[in-house]
Structures are given as C-alpha cells and as structure tokens.
Amino acid sequence: MSRFQTPPGTSDVLPEKAAERDRLEQTAKKILEKAGYGRIETPTFEFTELFARGVGEATDVVQKEMFNLEADSGTSYTLRPEGTAPVMRAYMEHGMHKLPQPVKLWYLSSYFRNETPQAHRYRQFSQLGIEAIGSPDPAVDAEVILLLAEILEAIGVRDVTLLLASLGQPESRAEYREELVAYLRAHEDQLSREVVDRIDLNPLRAFDSKDPRTREVMAKAPRLIDRLPQEDLDHFAEVQDLLQAAHLAYTVDTTLVRGLDYYTRTLFEFQSGQLGATQNALGGGGRYDGLAQALGGPPTPGIGWAAGVERMLSASTQPPPVEAPVDLFVAYHPEHKVAAFKLASDARRAGHSARLELAGRSVKGQLKQASRVRPRYVAIFTDEGVELRDRDGGEDKLVAPETVMHHIRGTL
Ligand code: HAM
C-alpha cells in the first residue's frame, strides 16, 4: 500500500460500484426524459456569492460547509455544495425564460460539503436532481414529487416515507418567525445551548434538535402551518389532492425543516429506514419562488429536488448488475500473438465483445481465464490453425485464422 489514501469523507468508485451507479443513472434518465427533462451540467465551482445569496448566509452550508478556493487576486470561488442556485443562475444567464415554461432540467454530478464525515455523510457526494423553473402551478409540485417516488421505486429502494410540509411565502413566514423567536426566548432555560445560540439566526432549526428537553418545548411551539394565509393553504391542498389522485402515500410533517434558506411553500423529504435513524434522508426539495430575486433576477417560481446517489444505492435492494456476456476469448501460443491480436481487434470492430490474453500466460493458464469469463466462443491459435470452441453446444472446429470471423458471424 502506498502512503496515500483517499481524504476523509471521499471514496473511490471501483468498477462494481460504478456499474450500479451507471444503472441508476440510466433508470433516472429514462424516467426524467420521458417527463420532458433535459440534462444540464454546470461548473464544479461558482462564485462564492452565488451560494451566500442563494442558499442563505444563515445556513450551516454557507456558514460552515463550503470549500472555498481563491483565484484572480482575491476573487472567492466555492466548490458547489448544491445544485439549485447554479441551475437558477444558468436559467437566467441563458435567458431560459424565453422558452416554454416551466423549463425542466435534470443533473447528476459531484457536490462538496465540508462536514464531519460519518455514515452516509461525505465531503464529496453525488446528487441526482431536477429543477422545474417558471411555473407556480401546484401540478408542477406534485409532478416533481412523483418523479422522485418513481425513480426510488424503479431502483429498488424500499421502506420509503415521504414527508410533506408547506412554508408559505416570506411575508407570512417573517411574522411567524417573530412569534417563534418570542416563544423560544420565553423557554430559553429549557433549550439546548446550540438552539439558544441560533435563536436569532435560524429559529426554525429548533424543530430539528435531537435534544430531549428541546424536543419537549418544540412539541408545544407555534406551527407555521397554522399561520399560513388562505392562498398558501389552497396551494398546499391542491398539491395534496394531486398526490392522492396519483395514489402516492405521504405524511404531513409540520416540523419538517431543511437546511437551505430558499424554500417557499411546498417542502418535502423522502426518507428510508434502510439508512438508519440519523442520516436517513434519501432526497428532498421544495419550491423556491424567491430564489431568482435573491440572485438579483426577476420574480421566477421554481421547484425541484436532489437525492444522494450513495444513499439511494445503500438503500436499494436490487441485486448487483450482471456483467455483459463475452462473445469471444482469444488464446494463443506465443508465436501467433500478432494474428491473435488482429482477430480480437477485428471482432471488437465488428461490434462483439472480445478478450485477449495480455499477461503472458501459458495456453493452459489462458484457458483457465477463459472459463472464468464464460465466453460464447474460445479461439485458440495453434500451429495447425485456429481451434474454435463453441460453448453454446456447437461443434469444436479447426479453422483457418482468416475465416474465424466468418464462422462466428451470424451466430452472435
Ligand atoms: P439537500 O437536502 O441539502 O438538498 O441535499 C439533497 C440530498 O443530497 C440529501 O437528501 C442527501 O441524500 C444528499 N446529501 C446531502 N449532503 C450529503 C452529504 N454530505 N453526504 C452524502 N449525501 C448528502 C439540496 O441540495 C437541494 N439543492 C435540493 C433541491 C433541489 N431543492 C430544490 N431543488
């Protein structure tokens, strides 16, 4: 072993895992593209200010978890911790408001957060995500939620719970926030230190506390849902009606808190018992009707979600993907190396999968390798010609080297 290892919170993706990721990506792509989503790729780093303004100065992500880079004499860039602010930036930068709305985009990339690594919590992780930008219609909310439910089911994730809430608009939230701050101040002596320290910065996070005494206080705290104006309640009710029409089970959780500041109205999270009790969020998202304005653009509604690829794979019950079958294995005595090499490359060029001895093994050793990969044909180059063995019950034959392709063509 060398003295280097992967940094904490990162990992290598070896071929077997890569095959699982590949299958997840193909499944998601099929489901999302059928629903009209086009793929978008944004840069791995952005101006730091995009996240400070978009995700919110008071969030843990911006306060503690950003990997910042410096370049261009003092300009600060940040390895993207999430994809929504970058996609909204791209929507505005490329004038996508001129396209038919909503514009539907999906992505699958690496994200970076400087968190303390633990089970299911990494410093580099992959997110599959979608954003539907340009329509406030509750049908968009229901559709995006259904798409994540469909993907989770298709990739074999079991034991899934969908939590749903509504945060309303910033104005009603501001009034509620004052009420909550007053309530927290009145109960300060029963709250955990961490919650007290954040009362002014982010009082809603108190609902997220794991501290038993804090939880007791929060059980009786005023709820945002009871303070929402009729318009927001109607929007939320329609989202629920549509989810029910689609037979998707959910639980309304009025204490649902997510760590990003841009959310308005619909908020949701998919959790799985397969992930244990703490980092059990497979994915989540919500509406962010104020994000475009926070980034200096015109009012633009939007909604989306992101789901952790590593977490989805951990919670998936699908068996590992089967390897594609090998059509031809080429073995040879050393003096026939060139002809053997040519056959393997001709076979690949003709669209077949072919393996060739590359480690100088004896013919016996090569045949042992062949039995491992279970090819349809084995071609052995000898002084007498090519011994062609058909593992699918066909006859073994001795053929001329230049006719091997002719013999296998049509049967593969
Ligand atoms: P998020 O809840 O911060 O939302 O992240 C979404 C998902 O990414 C989480 O549910 C989790 O599965 C995965 N994830 C997040 N952090 C880590 C980590 N450190 N290690 C492993 N997995 C992680 C967002 O990022 C929003 N941009 C989602 C969104 C899209 N909202 C609207 N549109």
Side-chain angles (χ1 to χ4, degrees):
M1 203 165 78
S2 93
R3 64 191 186 87
F4 292 107
Q5 295 179 354
T6 51
T10 71
S11 54
D12 298 314
V13 179
L14 301 182
E16 248 170 62
K17 262 276 167 282
E20 285 181 17
R21 282 172 170 252
D22 206 34
R23 178 172 61 183
L24 183 153
E25 179 170 341
Q26 294 310 319
T27 305
K29 179 181 158 79
K30 216 192 256 167
I31 291 172
L32 295 173
E33 295 192 348
K34 267 196 306 193
Y37 282 77
R39 188 165 189 165
I40 183 165
E41 291 189 29
T42 60
T44 307
F45 61 93
E46 299 267 359
F47 287 109
T48 299
E49 216 188 329
L50 174 73
F51 299 113
R53 282 178 181 242
V55 173
E57 292 280 8
T59 58
D60 280 354
V61 169
V62 171
Q63 294 234 316
K64 308 192 246 183
E65 298 169 3
M66 302 220 288
F67 282 110
N68 296 326
L69 321 161
E70 244 191 58
D72 303 339
S73 60
T75 309
S76 176
Y77 301 101
T78 296
L79 290 182
R80 57 181 172 205
E82 65 98 48
T84 309
V87 170
M88 183 56 97
R89 179 212 31 79
Y91 173 94
M92 295 193 287
E93 186 169 335
H94 301 285
M96 291 192 223
H97 63 280
K98 293 184 212 127
L99 302 173
Q101 306 293 301
V103 173
K104 297 168 162 184
L105 301 164
W106 76 277
Y107 49 88
L108 195 163
S109 317
S110 298
Y111 293 84
F112 307 86
R113 294 186 192 176
N114 191 0
E115 306 196 69
T116 309
Q118 50 179 284
H120 307 304
R121 185 167 283 281
Y122 314 107
R123 289 184 171 157
Q124 174 174 347
F125 53 97
S126 298
Q127 280 188 347
L128 166 71
I130 73 174
E131 311 294 346
I133 304 179
S135 166
D137 193 321
V140 187
D141 305 41
E143 190 177 274
V144 300
I145 294 171
L146 280 170
L147 285 169
L148 182 49
E150 189 182 341
I151 290 169
L152 293 175
E153 192 182 340
I155 61 172
V157 178
R158 302 280 172 264
D159 198 1
V160 176
T161 318
L162 166 60
L163 302 178
L164 195 64
S166 177
L167 286 181
Q169 319 251 18
E171 307 79 54
S172 45
R173 200 150 78 233
E175 275 172 37
Y176 166 75
R177 193 187 144 109
E178 274 177 34
E179 185 184 350
L180 182 62
V181 168
Y183 177 84
L184 295 174
R185 288 275 173 234
H187 295 82
E188 240 182 84
D189 53 335
Q190 293 149 267
L191 299 172
S192 77
R193 184 67 205 277
E194 204 195 341
V195 167
V196 173
D197 284 349
R198 299 175 66 89
I199 289 182
D200 291 314
L201 201 59
N202 201 344
L204 277 162
R205 288 306 291 264
F207 284 111
D208 225 9
S209 172
K210 304 274 182 276
D211 172 60
R213 288 189 69 205
T214 305
R215 289 180 79 95
E216 244 172 71
V217 175
M218 296 319 289
K220 299 199 191 92
R223 298 290 162 93
L224 177 56
I225 193 93
D226 301 321
R227 304 289 186 270
L228 293 184
Q230 197 54 44
E231 209 192 337
D232 289 340
L233 289 173
D234 291 346
H235 190 276
F236 192 39
E238 194 177 336
V239 174
Q240 293 186 58
D241 286 347
L242 294 170
L243 292 178
Q244 283 165 19
H247 302 292
L248 185 66
Y250 62 87
T251 306
V252 173
D253 179 352
T254 53
T255 67
L256 181 63
V257 178
R258 298 191 22 79
L260 311 159
D261 265 3
Y262 46 60
Y263 291 118
T264 51
R265 292 190 156 175
T266 310
L267 193 70
F268 58 92
E269 191 160 277
F270 284 83
Q271 302 181 342
S272 170
Q274 304 277 330
L275 293 173
T278 48
Q279 308 299 329
N280 58 357
L282 289 162
R287 243 186 202 286
Y288 43 84
D289 294 347
L291 174 60
Q293 281 167 293
L295 300 179
T300 311
I303 178 163
W305 49 254
V309 171
E310 294 80 5
R311 292 190 190 183
M312 287 191 286
L313 291 176
S314 288
S316 163
T317 53
Q318 267 184 323
V322 276
E323 273 182 49
V326 172
D327 298 328
L328 175 67
F329 188 99
V330 185
Y332 58 89
H333 287 274
E335 55 279 23
H336 302 289
K337 185 171 183 179
V338 173
F341 188 91
K342 182 175 180 310
L343 173 61
S345 84
D346 285 350
R348 288 189 196 123
R349 210 176 283 167
H352 306 304
S353 62
R355 298 277 200 288
L356 177 74
E357 170 57 25
L358 292 172
R361 290 183 187 85
S362 66
V363 171
K364 193 169 158 215
Q366 296 178 43
L367 293 179
K368 212 159 145 196
Q369 292 304 312
S371 66
R372 233 171 245 161
V373 301
R374 308 175 65 79
R376 166 75 194 266
Y377 287 102
V378 181
I380 310 161
F381 280 74
T382 68
D383 290 343
E384 286 75 45
V386 175
E387 202 183 310
L388 188 62
R389 298 182 183 170
D390 181 353
R391 291 177 33 106
D392 203 22
E395 262 173 56
D396 294 351
K397 300 176 201 148
L398 191 66
V399 302
E402 58 283 5
T403 65
V404 177
M405 285 303 294
H406 170 76
H407 279 95
I408 66 176
R409 191 171 295 137
T411 62
L412 289 172

